Amino acid sequence: TETAVLAFEYGYDVYAPETLVIWEAQYGDFANVAQVIFDQFISSSRAKWGQKSGIVILLPHGYEGQGPEHSSARLERYLQLAAENNWTVANLSSAAQYFHILRRQAKILEMEEVRPLVLVTPKSLLRNQHTASLPTELSEGTFKPFIEDPATEGIVISTGKISIDLHEAIAKETNKHIKLVRLEEIYPFPFEQLQEYFKQYKSLKEIVWAQEEPKNMGAWTFVEPRLIAAAPKGIDVRYIGRKRRSSTAEGDPNVHKEEQKRIITEALQ
């Protein structure tokens, strides 16, 4: 049924381009059955037929111990389809960022540069105090493709829910030589901005990409070559996360907690 529902929403969006149309999956994996609509229409219709769309796709995604079918929205699929500026793929970590990217999307609906927006939206962050924003951040701010967390030897880059997990963990540490960076907009990738950002840290030794998805999933395969190209010459870029797997997540909450703890610990070391 997701195929029919998403196809309807896409058709409505194309027919009424002045309308901000939002389709939300109850869980990210609910988009699996609608994948043909993403492949054949939403990601490629502009290239094939010149058909424009500003549809917004909300895909709950985050490793919270609820098993394979309620953890992953298959972020890697949308990044694999990303090319020719065909859509925006984002994984946000604050209320202000969420507000501003929707505001930006509404603003460009009837403009030539309108593109679909794929938003990964972790459920556990809905009530997390670290994702709250001040009123001034909503009324005066703008969307930022990446955010620096409040003598750096290492930078840990992540996206989405694990960014908040890292933020909460590092707040308890006395070791402040690690800088946390949250990649909010994965595609289009903010290559030049990150390149300039890395240059300011003269003592930088390594850049780590931390994710909670298995190594063959999530954003790693997409961001790896781009981070290597953006990093200063001689700086190592390495991965910390789950090993390669055929299933998206563990089915046991206790195993999940141990893996999450390991990833956070290794990233902050």
Side-chain angles (χ1 to χ4, degrees):
T1 57
E2 280 80 8
T3 300
V5 176
L6 184 57
F8 172 83
E9 299 290 6
Y10 174 77
Y12 189 98
D13 176 71
V14 171
Y15 183 77
E18 75 284 357
T19 307
L20 183 64
V21 177
I22 300 176
W23 181 77
E24 181 176 24
Q26 183 180 1
Y27 284 96
D29 65 287
F30 278 38
N32 286 345
V33 181
Q35 193 63 39
V36 65
I37 305 301
F38 290 107
D39 292 346
Q40 299 292 87
F41 293 90
I42 300 176
S43 68
S44 59
S45 61
R46 189 183 185 98
K48 291 191 290 188
W49 313 306
Q51 192 171 74
K52 302 171 190 173
S53 169
I55 190 171
V56 178
I57 307 295
L58 303 183
L59 300 176
H61 172 96
Y63 283 57
E64 296 156 2
Q66 297 193 50
E69 270 57 72
H70 290 144
S71 295
S72 178
R74 291 290 192 173
L75 175 60
E76 63 275 4
R77 292 177 179 171
Y78 306 97
L79 293 174
Q80 188 180 42
L81 290 167
E84 300 180 298
N85 198 25
N86 61 329
W87 58 15
T88 298
V89 181
N91 193 357
L92 311 180
S93 62
S94 80
Q97 285 284 89
Y98 186 53
F99 169 72
H100 288 304
I101 201 169
L102 287 179
R103 188 169 67 93
R104 184 181 74 176
Q105 188 72 6
K107 185 178 180 180
I108 65 172
L109 281 180
E110 295 188 77
M111 300 170 67
E112 176 61 28
E113 60 265 31
V114 64
R115 298 290 190 278
L117 171 62
V118 178
L119 271 183
V120 177
T121 54
K123 288 197 171 188
S124 68
L125 297 191
L126 287 171
R127 296 177 180 84
N128 190 299
Q129 61 179 336
H130 296 297
T131 65
S133 300
L134 296 171
T136 52
E137 292 178 289
L138 279 81
S139 62
E140 299 174 10
T142 57
F143 178 75
K144 301 177 179 65
F146 70 92
I147 300 174
E148 178 187 29
D149 242 38
T152 301
E153 294 179 6
I155 292 176
V156 176
I157 304 180
S158 56
T159 186
K161 186 184 78 68
I162 199 169
S163 301
I164 302 301
D165 294 342
L166 288 164
H167 171 86
E168 292 174 342
I170 205 171
K172 304 171 186 176
E173 297 275 339
T174 56
N175 191 350
K176 298 298 182 184
H177 67 277
I178 295 174
K179 185 71 70 175
L180 299 180
V181 174
R182 307 175 191 176
L183 183 62
E184 303 279 290
E185 185 173 83
I186 309 172
Y187 185 82
F189 189 80
F191 180 84
E192 293 180 358
Q193 296 99 311
L194 280 174
Q195 193 174 44
E196 289 301 311
Y197 176 77
F198 294 148
K199 285 180 182 178
Q200 67 181 305
Y201 297 107
K202 305 303 180 184
S203 59
L204 186 63
K205 295 179 180 177
E206 70 170 351
I207 297 170
V208 165
W209 174 263
Q211 70 176 35
E212 50 193 1
E213 300 90 349
K215 193 173 184 178
N216 56 317
M217 303 177 196
W220 169 242
T221 53
F222 180 84
V223 302
E224 180 189 15
R226 292 163 175 81
L227 284 178
I228 291 173
K233 190 175 181 179
I235 300 299
D236 289 333
V237 176
R238 65 188 181 95
Y239 166 90
I240 290 178
R242 284 169 168 80
K243 65 180 183 180
R244 292 178 178 274
R245 286 181 176 160
S246 57
S247 177
T248 53
E250 303 91 348
D252 187 306
N254 295 318
V255 176
H256 159 78
K257 289 177 184 177
E258 287 300 313
E259 273 289 82
Q260 287 292 104
K261 183 179 178 181
R262 176 190 64 79
I263 293 168
I264 298 298
T265 301
E266 288 185 16
L268 296 185
Q269 287 174 350

